[in-house]
Amino acid sequence: MNVGYDGRVFRPLNNPPGSPTGLYRQRGNLIWAEFGGGRLHFGRLVGTCDETGTITATYCQLATDGSVTAGSLTSVPGRTPEGVLTLTEHWHRLDGSTGISVIEEVDASLAPASPLTIELAQPQPR
């Protein structure tokens, strides 16, 4: 599947409210994304895309509880019966956990806010 990812926005399958959303960018075979929302302040993904549209990347993300998660993934493109672009993500975190997630393209209006606009909680005095 020949896919151009630049400017596409993805969210977990079935678009649940409050889910993290990612804005993907592409130049040639280079891929990167910023994502946030829900339980995530923000995250970043960087990697490459092959001629089939499969993405191989690493990611890191900062959750609203202050935890950081990092790992690698391979995302394989597909389509729903309605023709919506999906990515089946086979992920492996640095802590050793693994899993499969499916994200789908959503309207660009759902793109995440820039990390520069996120208001973080101020540290409390001790």
Side-chain angles (χ1 to χ4, degrees), residues 102-126:
V102 180
I103 59 176
E104 66 182 339
E105 186 174 16
V106 295
D107 189 85
S109 66
L110 296 173
S114 167
L116 299 176
T117 63
I118 296 171
E119 190 173 316
L120 301 177
Q122 298 298 314
Q124 299 298 314
R126 293 184 177 189

Side-chain angles (χ1 to χ4, degrees), residues 33-51:
E34 287 191 341
F35 46 94
R39 61 176 184 75
L40 295 179
H41 280 304
F42 62 90
R44 299 250 165 97
L45 173 143
V46 296
T48 58
C49 175
D50 70 16
E51 63 280 348

Side-chain angles (χ1 to χ4, degrees), residues 4-10 22-27 31-33 105-112:
Y5 291 106
D6 195 48
R8 293 183 185 256
V9 176
F10 291 89
L23 172 62
Y24 282 62
R25 295 294 185 185
Q26 181 175 5
R27 296 293 179 272
I31 297 283
W32 65 99
E105 186 174 16
V106 295
D107 189 85
S109 66
L110 296 173

Side-chain angles (χ1 to χ4, degrees), residues 56-124:
T56 302
T58 60
Y59 65 91
C60 61
Q61 56 194 28
L62 174 63
T64 55
D65 67 3
S67 63
V68 175
T69 305
S72 60
L73 59 78
T74 300
S75 295
V76 180
R79 298 265 178 198
T80 66
E82 299 78 26
V84 176
L85 179 62
T86 62
L87 289 171
T88 299
E89 303 175 311
H90 301 263
W91 49 266
H92 181 192
R93 294 185 178 159
L94 292 179
D95 67 7
S97 61
T98 62
I100 298 174
S101 303
V102 180
I103 59 176
E104 66 182 339
E105 186 174 16
V106 295
D107 189 85
S109 66
L110 296 173
S114 167
L116 299 176
T117 63
I118 296 171
E119 190 173 316
L120 301 177
Q122 298 298 314
Q124 299 298 314

